[in-house]
Amino acid sequence: MTILAASPCPALDAPDVAPLAAVVGADLSVPLVHGGHARYVNLDYAASAPALRAVADRVAELLPLYASVHRGAGYASVVCTSAYEAARAEIAAFVGAGPDDAVVFTRNTTDALNLLATAVPGFAPGVGVPGAGGVVHLDIEHHANLLPWQRLGARVVRAGGTRAQTVAAVAAELAAAPAALLAVTGASNVTGECPPLAELTSVAHRHGARIVVDGAQLVPHRRVALAESGIDYLAFSGHKIYAPFGAGVLVGRRDWLEAAPPYLAGGGAVREVRLGGTEWAAVPARHEAGTPNVVGAVALAAACRAVAALGAEAVTAHETALVRRLTRGLAGIDGVRPLRLWPSAAGDEPGGESGEADRIGVVTFTVDGYPADLVAQYLSAEHGIGVRDGRFCAHPLLARLTADPAGVRASLGLGSRAADVDRLVTALAELRAHGPAWAYARTEAGCAPDPDPRALPDWLAGGVPGPASACSDQ
Ligand code: PLP
């Protein structure tokens, strides 16, 4: 068995990488089961990224002025209305939306894709386009970009072989029967690999379909330019782009959204209500009934501004250096097996199939001899490292990629640094060499340290963490 020495670590013999931006909680210190504390290593950005300091500052600025939008004449209400609409414009600019595109605020990506599902011609009540119909999606999708389409009876294309073969399989499916919409992820939340969006967009258009990109993972990491790329719809979440305040967004072509029934019926979505019937408002108000999440919207726009200010090249370079360090570190540990959609002979080198340029900072792996939940508990309890384990809301993909029931996912972002990656690699090498140093018990709820002496913060009024809850990302 080849095990990396804990230190020095030859695979980590790479230049230091500092955080690219300040995040809230960067210096968080967390308790360990064997006593003492460690700086928390957050390798769970793909689930929810920490707030950027710039985002938290903007929220703090807004809160004293917080008021309901669109309806109040008071000064605070006027400010909030203006901030809310400015956020919409800022997000449109961030994703390069065209003049015909609408920006609809939603709760998150799931909500945005469910909204779009109500607007697909041929499916949405009252929205019909002759000859159109059907949705096609890949088999690698997060459930958020799978279940809304499955409910519509969508067809599924296997994203196997190579990227080029995946594009060819999509083209064949669209040629076999027309579809109104092709739904694809911008980046896999399991492997971090990015499908070839330019090719998929042109294939969709060539066959008369529109394309929606699930940008939940892609948008925080890569520049997406809607009008320039031809992508018709884009959905993403604030909490994955450093704005964990409960807002998401659907951006894209107005006509389907305008023709669709209001996503929710209620105040704000109407022009005129009579007891016998209602005249609905135009998009975006049409799909934003109820009091909107103005704080979330402003935070999301602040995050977009901050990410844009860093520059796409700097974001990619920072992440690429860290992913390279991580994949090389993991490759040096016998029995750690990364999951890949499109593995290549060229491995992780740039330019190869699935090269670094085509992936974001998300890596999922299995560890021989240790179930994924035990690995995640061990990393947290003994090393203060936060990762995600489970099937990542991508059950069909996990079933295809591994015989193990689940994987362990490490994910990176703007606050990540080389030392975070090194801590993970060293801890995994230790696990493979010596096994865990603490005891772990399996209950119905999952695997947990036994005992677990780590106290929750005082403000949570005593108590210790219970066993791992049934993983929310299952
Ligand atoms: N799509 C992808 C690729 C994701 O990774 C996630 C969340 O993990 C979602 C969609 C759903 O995002 P949300 O929970 O914010 O709706």
Side-chain angles (χ1 to χ4, degrees):
M1 182 160 62
T2 318
I3 299 285
L4 281 177
S7 176
C9 206
L12 307 182
D13 183 20
D16 193 20
V17 184
L20 195 60
V23 297
V24 177
D27 297 319
L28 181 66
S29 172
V30 293
L32 304 175
V33 278
H34 39 68
H37 283 70
R39 181 181 67 79
Y40 182 57
V41 169
N42 183 350
L43 291 175
D44 202 11
Y45 276 64
S48 278
L52 279 174
R53 171 52 57 203
V55 171
D57 289 349
R58 175 49 50 92
V59 167
E61 233 167 8
L62 177 71
L63 284 180
L65 288 155
Y66 177 74
S68 185
V69 302
H70 290 149
R71 287 169 207 125
Y75 179 75
S77 192
V78 170
V79 170
C80 281
T81 301
S82 162
Y84 185 68
E85 292 307 327
R88 200 189 300 281
E90 183 130 27
I91 291 165
F94 177 66
V95 299
D100 182 41
D101 289 329
V103 175
V104 180
F105 283 114
T106 62
R107 288 178 296 172
N108 46 38
T109 305
T110 306
D111 202 28
L113 293 168
N114 274 276
L115 161 59
L116 184 61
T118 68
V120 179
F123 292 109
V127 185
V129 173
V135 178
V136 169
H137 65 79
L138 302 180
D139 69 337
I140 63 173
E141 302 300 329
H142 185 283
H143 296 164
N145 196 31
L146 189 159
L147 297 177
W149 317 124
Q150 190 180 74
R151 281 215 293 221
L152 301 181
R155 293 173 279 145
V156 185
V157 172
R158 189 174 189 277
T162 63
R163 282 184 169 81
Q165 285 167 340
T166 300
V167 174
V170 169
E173 185 61 45
L174 293 174
L181 186 68
L182 172 65
V184 294
T185 188
S188 165
N189 67 309
V190 176
T191 70
E193 290 158 281
C194 302
L197 289 184
E199 289 86 341
L200 289 168
T201 301
S202 71
V203 160
H205 290 171
R206 206 176 321 130
H207 290 90
R210 293 187 183 182
I211 183 168
V212 56
V213 172
D214 169 355
Q217 296 297 342
L218 185 68
V219 173
H221 302 271
R222 295 287 182 273
R223 180 170 174 266
V224 179
L226 277 193
E228 198 181 309
S229 64
I231 292 167
D232 299 289
Y233 296 97
L234 179 70
F236 61 103
S237 299
H239 72 102
K240 292 191 199 286
I241 188 168
Y242 314 99
F245 295 91
V249 77
L250 176 68
V251 188
R253 292 173 67 180
R254 190 175 294 271
D255 52 352
W256 283 8
L257 298 171
E258 208 68 88
Y263 187 46
L264 291 174
V270 296
R271 275 201 194 107
E272 185 66 35
V273 179
R274 290 169 299 275
L275 291 180
T278 293
E279 199 186 318
W280 297 102
V283 167
R286 183 182 192 80
H287 297 301
E288 290 183 359
T291 302
N293 177 2
V294 59
V295 175
V298 169
L300 177 47
C304 293
R305 186 178 324 132
V307 170
L310 289 170
E313 277 179 22
V315 172
T316 303
H318 172 256
E319 193 167 288
T320 300
L322 290 173
V323 174
R324 178 179 294 145
R325 196 177 186 103
L326 177 57
T327 52
R328 289 183 182 169
L330 296 180
I333 310 173
D334 185 45
V336 171
R337 302 178 190 282
L339 306 184
R340 299 293 293 269
L341 296 174
W342 299 296
S344 78
D348 286 315
E349 296 309 314
E353 176 69 28
S354 252
E356 285 162 345
D358 299 313
R359 69 180 306 173
I360 58 161
V362 173
V363 178
T364 295
F365 52 89
T366 58
V367 181
D368 287 0
Y370 298 101
D373 56 356
L374 188 139
V375 176
Q377 291 293 324
Y378 155 82
L379 290 170
S380 169
E382 298 184 40
H383 295 274
I385 299 170
V387 294
R388 183 59 57 116
D389 67 282
R391 292 188 284 166
F392 315 110
C393 295
H395 293 183
L397 179 59
L398 261 283
R400 162 146 88 81
L401 293 185
T402 172
D404 286 18
V408 179
R409 181 179 72 190
S411 52
L412 307 154
L414 296 177
S416 301
R417 57 188 91 174
D420 297 347
V421 170
D422 299 357
R423 286 251 308 265
L424 175 69
V425 171
T426 302
L428 289 169
E430 271 177 35
L431 178 69
R432 286 286 293 150
H434 312 297
W438 198 259
Y440 295 84
R442 185 165 294 283
T443 68
E444 264 180 28
C447 175
D450 183 27
D452 191 345
R454 295 170 296 170
L456 292 173
D458 292 346
W459 54 266
L460 265 175
V464 290
S469 60
C471 184
S472 64
D473 211 1
Q474 290 284 310

